[in-house]
């Protein structure tokens, strides 16, 4: 059964907070940083998979590009949306990394919470 983004983000936040609180005693700043990159990459894959078609990916990336200050060209966004490399490689491209940065994923909407950044949660 499919889960909503709200349920997925809530559960991920609960697991990450609990795991970091349990292992906080150890020195794991480097690992937490790598884990945060990996987690955001997986979240980007989930979002791209929900959008399914290149046209929808292109439209949604264009919307994000208008709101954020990065100003990628239409050609760059088109190349990310229409690549046939596979979702994992597609979401690892520079455009997707910048448009779905930790600050953007941390923004909560009315229907879902924001994704916590494991490194900032660990360092607080």
């Amino acid at each position: 059964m499919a889960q909503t983004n709200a349920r997925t983000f809530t559960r991920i936040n609960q697991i990450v907070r609990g795991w970091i609180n349990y292992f906080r005693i150890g020195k794991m700043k480097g690992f937490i940083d790598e884990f945060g990159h990996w987690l955001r990459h997986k979240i980007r894959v989930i979002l791209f998979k929900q959008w399914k078609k290149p046209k929808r990916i292109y439209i949604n990336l264009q919307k994000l590009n208008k709101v954020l200050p990065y100003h990628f060209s239409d050609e760059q966004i088109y190349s990310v949306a229409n690549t046939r490399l596979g979702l994992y490689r597609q979401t690892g491209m520079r455009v997707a990394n910048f448009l779905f940065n930790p600050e953007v994923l941390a923004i909560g909407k009315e229907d879902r919470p924001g994704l916590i950044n494991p490194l900032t949660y660990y360092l607080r």
Side-chain angles (χ1 to χ4, degrees):
M1 188 166 135
Q3 291 186 7
T4 62
N5 284 342
R7 190 170 178 192
T8 303
F9 277 38
T10 303
R11 187 70 181 135
I12 288 173
N13 288 342
Q14 291 172 349
I15 291 170
V16 168
R17 281 189 196 111
W19 188 75
I20 289 174
N21 288 336
Y22 185 78
F23 289 105
R24 185 176 295 275
I25 298 170
K27 295 181 181 178
M28 55 185 205
K29 181 181 174 185
F31 174 76
I32 290 291
D33 189 31
E34 287 180 34
F35 173 71
H37 291 297
W38 176 84
L39 181 64
R40 284 187 296 278
H41 197 153
K42 288 302 221 180
I43 294 296
R44 286 191 302 266
V45 169
I46 290 169
L47 294 174
F48 272 48
K49 199 169 193 173
Q50 288 175 351
W51 294 340
K52 294 183 181 180
K53 300 196 183 240
K55 184 177 180 181
R56 176 59 44 200
I57 293 171
Y58 176 76
I59 290 169
N60 288 333
L61 289 178
Q62 281 287 16
K63 288 178 185 177
L64 276 174
N65 193 36
K66 288 179 183 175
V67 174
L68 298 174
Y70 299 115
H71 307 296
F72 289 108
S73 68
D74 289 341
E75 295 168 356
Q76 290 172 313
I77 293 173
Y78 184 83
S79 69
V80 170
N82 288 293
T83 186
R84 298 294 178 215
L85 294 175
L87 285 173
Y88 199 80
R89 296 246 334 250
Q90 185 178 18
T91 57
M93 293 181 166
R94 188 172 75 86
V95 173
N97 281 335
F98 277 97
L99 292 178
F100 286 106
N101 59 30
E103 292 80 26
V104 171
L105 290 174
I107 297 171
K109 292 189 176 183
E110 63 277 350
D111 60 337
R112 69 164 173 81
L115 185 70
I116 63 166
N117 187 352
L119 184 61
T120 55
Y121 185 77
Y122 175 73
L123 293 176
R124 67 166 180 88

Short mmCIF file of all heavy atoms in Angstrom, two decimals, residues 59-116:
data_model
loop_
_atom_site.label_atom_id
_atom_site.label_comp_id
_atom_site.label_asym_id
_atom_site.label_seq_id
_atom_site.Cartn_x
_atom_site.Cartn_y
_atom_site.Cartn_z
N ILE A 59 8.28 20.27 -15.36
CA ILE A 59 7.39 21.32 -14.86
C ILE A 59 7.67 21.62 -13.39
O ILE A 59 7.77 22.77 -12.98
CB ILE A 59 5.91 20.91 -15.07
CG1 ILE A 59 5.57 20.94 -16.56
CG2 ILE A 59 4.97 21.81 -14.29
CD1 ILE A 59 4.24 20.30 -16.91
N ASN A 60 7.81 20.57 -12.58
CA ASN A 60 8.05 20.78 -11.15
C ASN A 60 9.43 21.37 -10.87
O ASN A 60 9.57 22.20 -9.97
CB ASN A 60 7.85 19.47 -10.39
CG ASN A 60 6.39 19.07 -10.32
OD1 ASN A 60 5.51 19.91 -10.36
ND2 ASN A 60 6.14 17.78 -10.23
N LEU A 61 10.43 20.96 -11.63
CA LEU A 61 11.76 21.57 -11.45
C LEU A 61 11.75 23.03 -11.87
O LEU A 61 12.43 23.87 -11.27
CB LEU A 61 12.82 20.78 -12.22
CG LEU A 61 13.18 19.41 -11.67
CD1 LEU A 61 14.21 18.74 -12.56
CD2 LEU A 61 13.70 19.51 -10.25
N GLN A 62 10.98 23.37 -12.91
CA GLN A 62 10.85 24.76 -13.34
C GLN A 62 10.21 25.60 -12.23
O GLN A 62 10.62 26.73 -11.98
CB GLN A 62 9.99 24.87 -14.60
CG GLN A 62 10.71 24.52 -15.86
CD GLN A 62 11.71 25.59 -16.27
OE1 GLN A 62 12.10 26.46 -15.51
NE2 GLN A 62 12.16 25.49 -17.50
N LYS A 63 9.18 25.07 -11.57
CA LYS A 63 8.53 25.78 -10.48
C LYS A 63 9.52 26.05 -9.35
O LYS A 63 9.56 27.15 -8.80
CB LYS A 63 7.34 24.97 -9.94
CG LYS A 63 6.15 24.95 -10.85
CD LYS A 63 5.04 24.09 -10.26
CE LYS A 63 3.89 23.94 -11.20
NZ LYS A 63 2.84 23.04 -10.66
N LEU A 64 10.30 25.04 -9.00
CA LEU A 64 11.31 25.23 -7.95
C LEU A 64 12.37 26.23 -8.37
O LEU A 64 12.83 27.03 -7.56
CB LEU A 64 11.99 23.89 -7.62
CG LEU A 64 11.28 22.99 -6.64
CD1 LEU A 64 12.01 21.66 -6.55
CD2 LEU A 64 11.18 23.64 -5.28
N ASN A 65 12.76 26.20 -9.63
CA ASN A 65 13.78 27.10 -10.14
C ASN A 65 13.33 28.56 -10.08
O ASN A 65 14.12 29.46 -9.83
CB ASN A 65 14.17 26.72 -11.56
CG ASN A 65 15.42 27.40 -12.03
OD1 ASN A 65 16.35 27.61 -11.26
ND2 ASN A 65 15.46 27.73 -13.29
N LYS A 66 12.03 28.80 -10.29
CA LYS A 66 11.51 30.16 -10.22
C LYS A 66 11.52 30.69 -8.79
O LYS A 66 11.73 31.87 -8.56
CB LYS A 66 10.10 30.22 -10.79
CG LYS A 66 10.05 30.07 -12.29
CD LYS A 66 8.64 30.10 -12.80
CE LYS A 66 8.63 29.86 -14.30
NZ LYS A 66 7.28 29.77 -14.84
N VAL A 67 11.28 29.81 -7.83
CA VAL A 67 11.20 30.22 -6.43
C VAL A 67 12.59 30.39 -5.82
O VAL A 67 12.83 31.34 -5.06
CB VAL A 67 10.39 29.18 -5.62
CG1 VAL A 67 10.41 29.50 -4.15
CG2 VAL A 67 8.97 29.12 -6.13
N LEU A 68 13.51 29.52 -6.16
CA LEU A 68 14.85 29.54 -5.56
C LEU A 68 15.81 30.44 -6.34
O LEU A 68 15.61 30.68 -7.52
CB LEU A 68 15.40 28.11 -5.49
CG LEU A 68 14.57 27.16 -4.64
CD1 LEU A 68 15.11 25.75 -4.76
CD2 LEU A 68 14.56 27.60 -3.19
N PRO A 69 16.87 30.90 -5.70
CA PRO A 69 17.77 31.88 -6.34
C PRO A 69 18.86 31.27 -7.22
O PRO A 69 19.84 31.94 -7.50
CB PRO A 69 18.40 32.58 -5.13
CG PRO A 69 18.46 31.52 -4.09
CD PRO A 69 17.20 30.71 -4.29
N TYR A 70 18.74 30.04 -7.69
CA TYR A 70 19.83 29.42 -8.43
C TYR A 70 19.83 29.75 -9.91
O TYR A 70 20.86 29.76 -10.55
CB TYR A 70 19.82 27.90 -8.22
CG TYR A 70 20.00 27.55 -6.77
CD1 TYR A 70 18.99 26.93 -6.05
CD2 TYR A 70 21.17 27.87 -6.11
CE1 TYR A 70 19.16 26.62 -4.72
CE2 TYR A 70 21.34 27.57 -4.78
CZ TYR A 70 20.32 26.95 -4.09
OH TYR A 70 20.48 26.65 -2.77
N HIS A 71 18.70 29.98 -10.51
CA HIS A 71 18.57 30.42 -11.90
C HIS A 71 19.24 29.47 -12.89
O HIS A 71 20.12 29.86 -13.66
CB HIS A 71 19.11 31.84 -12.09
CG HIS A 71 18.51 32.81 -11.12
ND1 HIS A 71 17.18 33.13 -11.11
CD2 HIS A 71 19.07 33.52 -10.12
CE1 HIS A 71 16.93 33.99 -10.16
NE2 HIS A 71 18.07 34.24 -9.53
N PHE A 72 18.83 28.21 -12.86
CA PHE A 72 19.31 27.26 -13.87
C PHE A 72 18.61 27.55 -15.19
O PHE A 72 17.47 28.01 -15.22
CB PHE A 72 19.01 25.82 -13.44
CG PHE A 72 19.86 25.36 -12.28
CD1 PHE A 72 19.30 25.18 -11.03
CD2 PHE A 72 21.20 25.11 -12.45
CE1 PHE A 72 20.07 24.76 -9.96
CE2 PHE A 72 21.98 24.70 -11.39
CZ PHE A 72 21.41 24.52 -10.14
N SER A 73 19.28 27.26 -16.28
CA SER A 73 18.68 27.49 -17.59
C SER A 73 17.65 26.40 -17.89
O SER A 73 17.66 25.32 -17.29
CB SER A 73 19.76 27.51 -18.67
OG SER A 73 20.31 26.22 -18.81
N ASP A 74 16.78 26.69 -18.85
CA ASP A 74 15.78 25.70 -19.26
C ASP A 74 16.45 24.44 -19.81
O ASP A 74 15.95 23.34 -19.63
CB ASP A 74 14.86 26.30 -20.32
CG ASP A 74 13.93 27.34 -19.75
OD1 ASP A 74 13.73 27.35 -18.52
OD2 ASP A 74 13.39 28.14 -20.54
N GLU A 75 17.57 24.62 -20.50
CA GLU A 75 18.28 23.48 -21.07
C GLU A 75 18.82 22.55 -19.99
O GLU A 75 18.77 21.33 -20.14
CB GLU A 75 19.44 23.97 -21.95
CG GLU A 75 18.98 24.72 -23.17
CD GLU A 75 20.12 25.43 -23.86
OE1 GLU A 75 21.26 25.40 -23.36
OE2 GLU A 75 19.86 26.02 -24.92
N GLN A 76 19.33 23.12 -18.91
CA GLN A 76 19.84 22.30 -17.81
C GLN A 76 18.72 21.50 -17.15
O GLN A 76 18.87 20.32 -16.86
CB GLN A 76 20.54 23.16 -16.77
CG GLN A 76 21.85 23.75 -17.24
CD GLN A 76 22.42 24.74 -16.24
OE1 GLN A 76 21.69 25.61 -15.76
NE2 GLN A 76 23.70 24.61 -15.95
N ILE A 77 17.60 22.15 -16.92
CA ILE A 77 16.47 21.47 -16.30
C ILE A 77 15.89 20.42 -17.26
O ILE A 77 15.54 19.31 -16.85
CB ILE A 77 15.40 22.49 -15.87
CG1 ILE A 77 15.96 23.35 -14.74
CG2 ILE A 77 14.11 21.80 -15.44
CD1 ILE A 77 15.10 24.49 -14.32
N TYR A 78 15.83 20.75 -18.53
CA TYR A 78 15.34 19.80 -19.53
C TYR A 78 16.22 18.56 -19.59
O TYR A 78 15.73 17.44 -19.69
CB TYR A 78 15.27 20.48 -20.90
CG TYR A 78 14.69 19.61 -21.98
CD1 TYR A 78 13.31 19.52 -22.13
CD2 TYR A 78 15.50 18.90 -22.85
CE1 TYR A 78 12.76 18.72 -23.12
CE2 TYR A 78 14.96 18.09 -23.83
CZ TYR A 78 13.59 18.01 -23.96
OH TYR A 78 13.05 17.22 -24.94
N SER A 79 17.54 18.77 -19.50
CA SER A 79 18.45 17.61 -19.56
C SER A 79 18.29 16.70 -18.34
O SER A 79 18.40 15.49 -18.46
CB SER A 79 19.90 18.08 -19.70
OG SER A 79 20.33 18.70 -18.52
N VAL A 80 18.02 17.27 -17.18
CA VAL A 80 17.79 16.44 -15.99
C VAL A 80 16.47 15.68 -16.12
O VAL A 80 16.40 14.50 -15.80
CB VAL A 80 17.78 17.31 -14.70
CG1 VAL A 80 17.30 16.52 -13.52
CG2 VAL A 80 19.15 17.87 -14.45
N ALA A 81 15.45 16.35 -16.60
CA ALA A 81 14.13 15.72 -16.69
C ALA A 81 14.09 14.62 -17.75
O ALA A 81 13.36 13.64 -17.59
CB ALA A 81 13.07 16.78 -17.01
N ASN A 82 14.86 14.75 -18.81
CA ASN A 82 14.77 13.82 -19.92
C ASN A 82 15.93 12.85 -20.03
O ASN A 82 16.04 12.15 -21.02
CB ASN A 82 14.61 14.60 -21.23
CG ASN A 82 13.26 15.22 -21.33
OD1 ASN A 82 12.27 14.52 -21.45
ND2 ASN A 82 13.21 16.53 -21.24
N THR A 83 16.78 12.78 -19.05
CA THR A 83 17.86 11.82 -19.11
C THR A 83 17.34 10.41 -18.92
O THR A 83 16.31 10.20 -18.26
CB THR A 83 18.95 12.13 -18.05
OG1 THR A 83 20.04 11.26 -18.26
CG2 THR A 83 18.43 11.96 -16.65
N ARG A 84 18.01 9.46 -19.47
CA ARG A 84 17.60 8.06 -19.36
C ARG A 84 18.59 7.26 -18.51
O ARG A 84 18.74 6.07 -18.68
CB ARG A 84 17.46 7.43 -20.74
CG ARG A 84 16.42 8.09 -21.59
CD ARG A 84 15.05 7.87 -21.00
NE ARG A 84 14.04 8.55 -21.82
CZ ARG A 84 12.98 9.11 -21.31
NH1 ARG A 84 12.78 9.10 -20.02
NH2 ARG A 84 12.09 9.68 -22.08
N LEU A 85 19.27 7.94 -17.62
CA LEU A 85 20.30 7.28 -16.82
C LEU A 85 19.72 6.46 -15.67
O LEU A 85 20.41 5.65 -15.09
CB LEU A 85 21.25 8.34 -16.24
CG LEU A 85 22.11 9.09 -17.23
CD1 LEU A 85 22.91 10.16 -16.53
CD2 LEU A 85 23.03 8.13 -17.96
N GLY A 86 18.50 6.67 -15.31
CA GLY A 86 17.91 6.01 -14.15
C GLY A 86 17.69 7.03 -13.05
O GLY A 86 18.34 8.08 -13.00
N LEU A 87 16.76 6.74 -12.17
CA LEU A 87 16.36 7.72 -11.16
C LEU A 87 17.50 8.09 -10.20
O LEU A 87 17.65 9.24 -9.83
CB LEU A 87 15.17 7.19 -10.36
CG LEU A 87 13.83 7.22 -11.07
CD1 LEU A 87 12.77 6.52 -10.24
CD2 LEU A 87 13.42 8.65 -11.34
N TYR A 88 18.28 7.10 -9.79
CA TYR A 88 19.32 7.39 -8.81
C TYR A 88 20.37 8.34 -9.39
O TYR A 88 20.79 9.29 -8.75
CB TYR A 88 19.97 6.09 -8.32
CG TYR A 88 20.69 6.27 -7.02
CD1 TYR A 88 20.00 6.28 -5.82
CD2 TYR A 88 22.07 6.42 -6.97
CE1 TYR A 88 20.65 6.45 -4.62
CE2 TYR A 88 22.73 6.58 -5.78
CZ TYR A 88 22.02 6.59 -4.61
OH TYR A 88 22.66 6.76 -3.41
N ARG A 89 20.78 8.10 -10.62
CA ARG A 89 21.75 8.99 -11.26
C ARG A 89 21.11 10.31 -11.65
O ARG A 89 21.75 11.36 -11.60
CB ARG A 89 22.33 8.33 -12.52
CG ARG A 89 23.11 7.09 -12.24
CD ARG A 89 24.58 7.11 -12.52
NE ARG A 89 25.15 7.98 -13.49
CZ ARG A 89 25.66 7.59 -14.64
NH1 ARG A 89 25.60 6.33 -15.01
NH2 ARG A 89 26.23 8.47 -15.42
N GLN A 90 19.85 10.28 -12.03
CA GLN A 90 19.13 11.49 -12.42
C GLN A 90 19.03 12.46 -11.24
O GLN A 90 19.22 13.66 -11.40
CB GLN A 90 17.73 11.11 -12.91
CG GLN A 90 16.90 12.23 -13.45
CD GLN A 90 15.55 11.73 -13.94
OE1 GLN A 90 15.11 10.63 -13.58
NE2 GLN A 90 14.89 12.51 -14.75
N THR A 91 18.76 11.94 -10.06
CA THR A 91 18.62 12.80 -8.89
C THR A 91 19.97 13.18 -8.29
O THR A 91 20.02 14.02 -7.39
CB THR A 91 17.76 12.13 -7.81
OG1 THR A 91 18.34 10.88 -7.46
CG2 THR A 91 16.35 11.95 -8.30
N GLY A 92 21.04 12.61 -8.77
CA GLY A 92 22.36 12.97 -8.30
C GLY A 92 22.99 14.10 -9.09
O GLY A 92 24.08 14.56 -8.78
N MET A 93 22.31 14.57 -10.12
CA MET A 93 22.85 15.65 -10.94
C MET A 93 22.83 16.97 -10.18
O MET A 93 22.07 17.16 -9.23
CB MET A 93 22.05 15.77 -12.23
CG MET A 93 22.21 14.59 -13.14
SD MET A 93 21.26 14.84 -14.64
CE MET A 93 21.94 13.56 -15.65
N ARG A 94 23.65 17.89 -10.61
CA ARG A 94 23.84 19.17 -9.91
C ARG A 94 22.54 19.96 -9.76
O ARG A 94 22.27 20.53 -8.70
CB ARG A 94 24.88 20.00 -10.66
CG ARG A 94 25.31 21.24 -9.95
CD ARG A 94 26.48 21.88 -10.66
NE ARG A 94 26.10 22.56 -11.87
CZ ARG A 94 25.69 23.83 -11.92
NH1 ARG A 94 25.59 24.52 -10.83
NH2 ARG A 94 25.39 24.39 -13.05
N VAL A 95 21.73 19.98 -10.79
CA VAL A 95 20.49 20.75 -10.75
C VAL A 95 19.56 20.21 -9.66
O VAL A 95 19.02 20.96 -8.85
CB VAL A 95 19.78 20.72 -12.13
CG1 VAL A 95 18.42 21.37 -12.07
CG2 VAL A 95 20.65 21.39 -13.18
N ALA A 96 19.38 18.90 -9.62
CA ALA A 96 18.51 18.29 -8.61
C ALA A 96 19.08 18.50 -7.21
O ALA A 96 18.33 18.75 -6.26
CB ALA A 96 18.32 16.80 -8.89
N ASN A 97 20.40 18.41 -7.06
CA ASN A 97 21.03 18.62 -5.75
C ASN A 97 20.78 20.04 -5.24
O ASN A 97 20.52 20.23 -4.05
CB ASN A 97 22.53 18.37 -5.81
CG ASN A 97 22.86 16.91 -5.79
OD1 ASN A 97 22.11 16.11 -5.28
ND2 ASN A 97 24.00 16.56 -6.36
N PHE A 98 20.89 21.02 -6.09
CA PHE A 98 20.70 22.40 -5.66
C PHE A 98 19.23 22.73 -5.42
O PHE A 98 18.90 23.44 -4.48
CB PHE A 98 21.29 23.38 -6.67
CG PHE A 98 22.76 23.60 -6.49
CD1 PHE A 98 23.68 22.90 -7.25
CD2 PHE A 98 23.22 24.50 -5.55
CE1 PHE A 98 25.04 23.09 -7.08
CE2 PHE A 98 24.58 24.69 -5.37
CZ PHE A 98 25.48 23.99 -6.14
N LEU A 99 18.34 22.22 -6.28
CA LEU A 99 16.93 22.54 -6.12
C LEU A 99 16.29 21.82 -4.94
O LEU A 99 15.31 22.29 -4.39
CB LEU A 99 16.17 22.23 -7.41
CG LEU A 99 16.51 23.13 -8.60
CD1 LEU A 99 15.74 22.69 -9.84
CD2 LEU A 99 16.24 24.59 -8.30
N PHE A 100 16.83 20.68 -4.56
CA PHE A 100 16.34 19.94 -3.39
C PHE A 100 17.41 19.92 -2.31
O PHE A 100 17.79 18.87 -1.80
CB PHE A 100 15.97 18.50 -3.76
CG PHE A 100 14.70 18.40 -4.53
CD1 PHE A 100 14.73 18.12 -5.88
CD2 PHE A 100 13.49 18.57 -3.91
CE1 PHE A 100 13.55 18.01 -6.60
CE2 PHE A 100 12.31 18.47 -4.62
CZ PHE A 100 12.34 18.20 -5.96
N ASN A 101 17.90 21.08 -1.93
CA ASN A 101 18.92 21.16 -0.89
C ASN A 101 18.28 20.94 0.48
O ASN A 101 17.06 20.87 0.60
CB ASN A 101 19.66 22.50 -0.98
CG ASN A 101 18.75 23.68 -0.82
OD1 ASN A 101 17.73 23.62 -0.15
ND2 ASN A 101 19.10 24.77 -1.46
N PRO A 102 19.08 20.81 1.54
CA PRO A 102 18.51 20.54 2.86
C PRO A 102 17.51 21.58 3.34
O PRO A 102 16.53 21.24 4.02
CB PRO A 102 19.74 20.52 3.78
CG PRO A 102 20.88 20.23 2.90
CD PRO A 102 20.55 20.77 1.55
N GLU A 103 17.73 22.84 2.99
CA GLU A 103 16.80 23.88 3.43
C GLU A 103 15.43 23.73 2.76
O GLU A 103 14.40 23.97 3.38
CB GLU A 103 17.37 25.28 3.14
CG GLU A 103 18.58 25.65 3.97
CD GLU A 103 19.88 25.04 3.44
OE1 GLU A 103 19.97 24.76 2.22
OE2 GLU A 103 20.79 24.83 4.26
N VAL A 104 15.43 23.35 1.50
CA VAL A 104 14.16 23.18 0.77
C VAL A 104 13.41 21.97 1.32
O VAL A 104 12.19 22.03 1.54
CB VAL A 104 14.41 23.03 -0.75
CG1 VAL A 104 13.15 22.64 -1.47
CG2 VAL A 104 14.97 24.33 -1.31
N LEU A 105 14.12 20.87 1.56
CA LEU A 105 13.45 19.68 2.08
C LEU A 105 12.98 19.88 3.52
O LEU A 105 12.08 19.19 3.98
CB LEU A 105 14.38 18.47 1.99
CG LEU A 105 14.65 17.96 0.58
CD1 LEU A 105 15.69 16.86 0.62
CD2 LEU A 105 13.39 17.48 -0.07
N ALA A 106 13.58 20.82 4.24
CA ALA A 106 13.17 21.08 5.63
C ALA A 106 11.91 21.92 5.72
O ALA A 106 11.33 22.03 6.80
CB ALA A 106 14.32 21.77 6.37
N ILE A 107 11.49 22.50 4.61
CA ILE A 107 10.28 23.32 4.62
C ILE A 107 9.07 22.41 4.74
O ILE A 107 8.86 21.51 3.93
CB ILE A 107 10.17 24.17 3.34
CG1 ILE A 107 11.33 25.14 3.25
CG2 ILE A 107 8.84 24.91 3.29
CD1 ILE A 107 11.43 25.86 1.92
N GLY A 108 8.28 22.65 5.76
CA GLY A 108 7.05 21.88 5.93
C GLY A 108 5.90 22.53 5.18
O GLY A 108 5.86 23.74 5.01
N LYS A 109 5.00 21.73 4.71
CA LYS A 109 3.80 22.23 4.04
C LYS A 109 2.61 21.88 4.91
O LYS A 109 2.75 21.24 5.95
CB LYS A 109 3.66 21.60 2.66
CG LYS A 109 4.73 22.04 1.69
CD LYS A 109 4.42 21.56 0.31
CE LYS A 109 5.45 22.10 -0.66
NZ LYS A 109 5.15 21.73 -2.02
N GLU A 110 1.45 22.30 4.48
CA GLU A 110 0.26 22.05 5.28
C GLU A 110 -0.04 20.56 5.42
O GLU A 110 -0.61 20.13 6.40
CB GLU A 110 -0.96 22.77 4.69
CG GLU A 110 -1.38 22.32 3.31
CD GLU A 110 -0.60 22.96 2.17
OE1 GLU A 110 0.17 23.91 2.41
OE2 GLU A 110 -0.76 22.50 1.04
N ASP A 111 0.38 19.76 4.45
CA ASP A 111 0.06 18.34 4.50
C ASP A 111 1.23 17.46 4.96
O ASP A 111 1.04 16.28 5.20
CB ASP A 111 -0.42 17.87 3.13
CG ASP A 111 0.64 18.06 2.04
OD1 ASP A 111 1.51 18.91 2.22
OD2 ASP A 111 0.57 17.37 1.02
N ARG A 112 2.43 18.02 5.08
CA ARG A 112 3.55 17.19 5.51
C ARG A 112 4.57 18.01 6.30
O ARG A 112 4.71 19.21 6.07
CB ARG A 112 4.23 16.54 4.31
CG ARG A 112 4.98 17.51 3.43
CD ARG A 112 5.92 16.79 2.50
NE ARG A 112 6.51 17.69 1.56
CZ ARG A 112 7.56 18.48 1.83
NH1 ARG A 112 8.11 18.46 3.00
NH2 ARG A 112 8.04 19.30 0.92
N PRO A 113 5.29 17.35 7.20
CA PRO A 113 6.36 18.05 7.92
C PRO A 113 7.60 18.14 7.05
O PRO A 113 7.73 17.42 6.06
CB PRO A 113 6.60 17.15 9.14
CG PRO A 113 6.25 15.79 8.65
CD PRO A 113 5.12 15.99 7.67
N GLY A 114 8.51 18.99 7.43
CA GLY A 114 9.77 19.07 6.71
C GLY A 114 10.72 17.98 7.16
O GLY A 114 10.60 17.42 8.26
N LEU A 115 11.66 17.64 6.32
CA LEU A 115 12.65 16.62 6.63
C LEU A 115 13.76 17.25 7.47
O LEU A 115 14.30 18.29 7.10
CB LEU A 115 13.23 16.05 5.34
CG LEU A 115 14.19 14.88 5.47
CD1 LEU A 115 13.43 13.64 5.92
CD2 LEU A 115 14.87 14.62 4.15
N ILE A 116 14.10 16.64 8.59
CA ILE A 116 15.15 17.20 9.43
C ILE A 116 16.50 16.91 8.80
O ILE A 116 16.69 15.90 8.13
CB ILE A 116 15.11 16.67 10.88
CG1 ILE A 116 15.36 15.17 10.92
CG2 ILE A 116 13.83 17.02 11.56
CD1 ILE A 116 15.66 14.67 12.30
#
